[in-house]
Amino acid sequence: MGGERRKSEKARLRKGINILISTPGRLVDHIKSTKNIHFRRIRWLILDEADRILDLGFEKDITVILNAINAECQKRQNVLLSATLTEGVTRLADISLLNPLRISVLDGHRGKSDPKGRAVPEASPLPAGGEPDSFAIPESLDQHVTLVPSKLRLVSLAAFILQQCKFEKDQKMIVFFSSCELVEFHYHLFLQTLQSRSGAPASGQLPSASTSLKFLRLHGNMEQEERTAVFQEFSHSKTGVLLCTDVAARGLDLPQVTWIVQYNAPPSPAEYIHRIGRTARIGCHGSSLLILAPSEAEYVNSLASHKINVSEIKMEDILSVLTRDDCFKGSRWGSQSHPVNGLLSILEVRQATAGFPERGSPPGPE
């Protein structure tokens, strides 16, 4: 429940349900206004994305929900799930859980294993809150960083997308931006420059772009129906590039994502973990790339202080992919000096036409 008409939700409640999945605010609405909602037979109460629930200010709503359920049902199993264990999450655990145990899903080399070699969750008393010193990161996730001057950020991103999604098979990529405006700008820019179309290429379009290169976008300014359609399309696609804000950083299971690219550094190591958590899921292999300006190099040390280690990919190695594409060679598309200028000139023309600054744009909602 949530994001739909209340009337249709009430109709489903009247018919009876086995599993209810709801946003906190909408459930509180039904508790206050829907007479036929009862909690007498609840056996499980699961609070997912607990840290995000607190970030969005739903602590009072959770209290209302807990009071309503406790009034009708005392015997049940409560579960609180969170990727990070902060002071707020611990406080929420105190009011929602009785004598809780922490179950930590660790890497195979850190935890115990069953006879088949799979990692076994480790149970321990729930500790006091605070920013965690380290995070559980899958062994199958390779983390990378590249330092790129401001002038070459856009062309480096475009080259990396070409490198992974044009010259490699079965690649599925998510690119995170800091605002809805940045998502929209890059989405339309790449549609015009990187995505191939049938027939002769238009002015400013790359003639040899792969027909399998597909771009989608996802952010908070889109209508719910459109977001759902994008989610379904990307979930069922074997390849593609999803440009998005942090609206896609949590709570979405997007199968077979092979690369996570962070074009703008996240505000905290916890947010970094949430973003890269969209790949290397359920034993699959995945990779991530963090794009930083030279002045942001200290961010790598911030990650290292939380035992998040990233290896560097040289910008030159990313840009070298342009030498493999004929459309950046010769006098028409490329420069006589270097093929990087071929893509750079095309992107700069489109960027100037769009009238959108590459850096320093104001942040918007997710």
Side-chain angles (χ1 to χ4, degrees):
M1 298 190 301
E4 295 184 284
R5 295 172 56 189
R6 291 182 177 84
K7 185 176 181 180
S8 61
E9 293 175 348
K10 288 183 179 181
R12 290 199 296 272
L13 287 172
R14 281 195 295 268
K15 293 179 181 179
I17 54 177
N18 297 105
I19 300 174
L20 174 63
I21 303 173
S22 176
T23 59
R26 182 53 60 88
L27 184 54
V28 169
D29 285 345
H30 284 292
I31 289 173
K32 294 179 178 180
S33 60
T34 303
K35 295 181 180 179
N36 60 345
I37 186 170
H38 302 288
F39 303 109
R40 292 187 297 270
R41 301 180 65 182
I42 283 184
R43 293 295 175 263
W44 290 83
L45 173 64
I46 300 175
L47 303 177
D48 194 14
E49 300 286 354
D51 50 351
R52 186 61 171 165
I53 287 176
L54 296 175
D55 290 343
L56 295 175
F58 285 120
E59 186 171 356
K60 291 184 178 179
D61 288 339
I62 294 297
T63 301
V64 172
I65 293 169
L66 289 171
N67 290 338
I69 295 176
N70 290 336
E72 297 187 44
C73 176
Q74 292 288 336
K75 190 176 181 180
R76 65 179 185 275
Q77 178 68 61
N78 291 351
V79 179
L80 186 148
L81 304 174
S82 177
T84 57
L85 189 60
T86 62
E87 183 177 353
V89 172
T90 303
R91 185 173 66 253
L92 182 58
D94 290 339
I95 65 175
S96 62
L97 306 176
L98 179 63
N99 298 324
L101 290 179
R102 181 184 65 174
I103 300 177
S104 178
V105 181
L106 302 174
D107 294 340
H109 71 282
R110 293 173 60 189
K112 301 177 181 178
S113 298
D114 65 8
K116 295 183 179 181
R118 294 173 299 190
V120 176
E122 177 184 291
S124 63
L126 194 65
E131 180 73 16
D133 292 330
S134 62
F135 300 91
I137 300 174
E139 284 186 320
S140 58
L141 175 58
D142 297 325
Q143 301 175 77
H144 307 281
V145 64
T146 185
L147 301 180
V148 181
S150 297
K151 184 178 180 180
L152 294 177
R153 282 173 62 85
L154 181 57
V155 70
S156 295
L157 174 61
F160 188 76
I161 291 173
L162 288 174
Q163 182 184 62
Q164 298 302 325
C165 299
K166 177 178 178 180
F167 295 112
E168 302 291 339
K169 293 183 179 180
D170 300 328
Q171 296 296 303
K172 198 170 178 180
M173 180 183 295
I174 299 178
V175 184
F176 282 99
F177 296 92
S178 60
S179 71
C180 302
E181 291 82 2
L182 282 174
V183 171
E184 285 291 324
F185 168 71
H186 288 87
Y187 172 71
H188 291 290
L189 177 68
F190 290 155
L191 284 183
Q192 295 171 348
T193 56
L194 299 187
Q195 181 167 313
S196 129
R197 299 177 183 175
S198 59
S203 175
Q205 184 182 340
L206 307 185
S208 65
S210 171
T211 55
S212 64
L213 198 57
K214 177 174 64 176
F215 290 93
L216 298 168
R217 71 190 190 281
L218 187 65
H219 57 75
N221 283 348
M222 299 167 60
E223 296 293 333
Q224 181 64 45
E225 293 79 6
E226 188 178 5
R227 280 188 281 172
T228 300
V230 169
F231 170 75
Q232 294 293 342
E233 182 176 357
F234 191 69
S235 295
H236 292 96
S237 297
K238 292 184 178 180
T239 60
V241 181
L242 177 65
L243 312 180
C244 62
T245 61
D246 282 333
V247 73
R250 302 171 182 239
L252 297 183
D253 183 19
L254 298 165
Q256 300 175 332
V257 173
T258 53
W259 273 98
I260 299 296
V261 177
Q262 304 188 58
Y263 191 66
N264 305 109
S268 69
E271 295 303 317
Y272 173 91
I273 291 296
H274 284 300
R275 288 180 176 184
I276 65 173
R278 300 311 96 199
T279 189
R281 298 173 70 85
I282 319 179
C284 295
H285 184 270
S287 303
S288 68
L289 176 67
L290 175 63
I291 300 177
L292 298 176
S295 60
E296 299 172 319
E298 184 61 30
Y299 192 90
V300 175
N301 294 331
S302 175
L303 295 178
S305 67
H306 293 275
K307 301 179 182 178
I308 303 171
N309 299 315
V310 296
S311 60
E312 185 177 2
I313 296 179
K314 295 295 184 181
M315 177 190 67
E316 293 77 9
D317 294 335
I318 294 175
L319 296 178
S320 67
V321 71
L322 302 181
T323 62
R324 297 166 58 185
D325 199 315
D326 292 338
C327 71
F328 302 114
K329 299 177 183 178
S331 58
R332 181 179 179 186
W333 292 99
S335 167
Q336 295 180 355
S337 60
H338 201 287
V340 169
N341 294 328
L343 178 56
L344 184 59
S345 62
I346 295 170
L347 293 174
E348 285 181 341
V349 168
R350 290 295 183 179
Q351 182 177 333
T353 303
F356 196 95
E358 164 62 9
R359 293 184 63 81
S361 57
E366 296 179 0

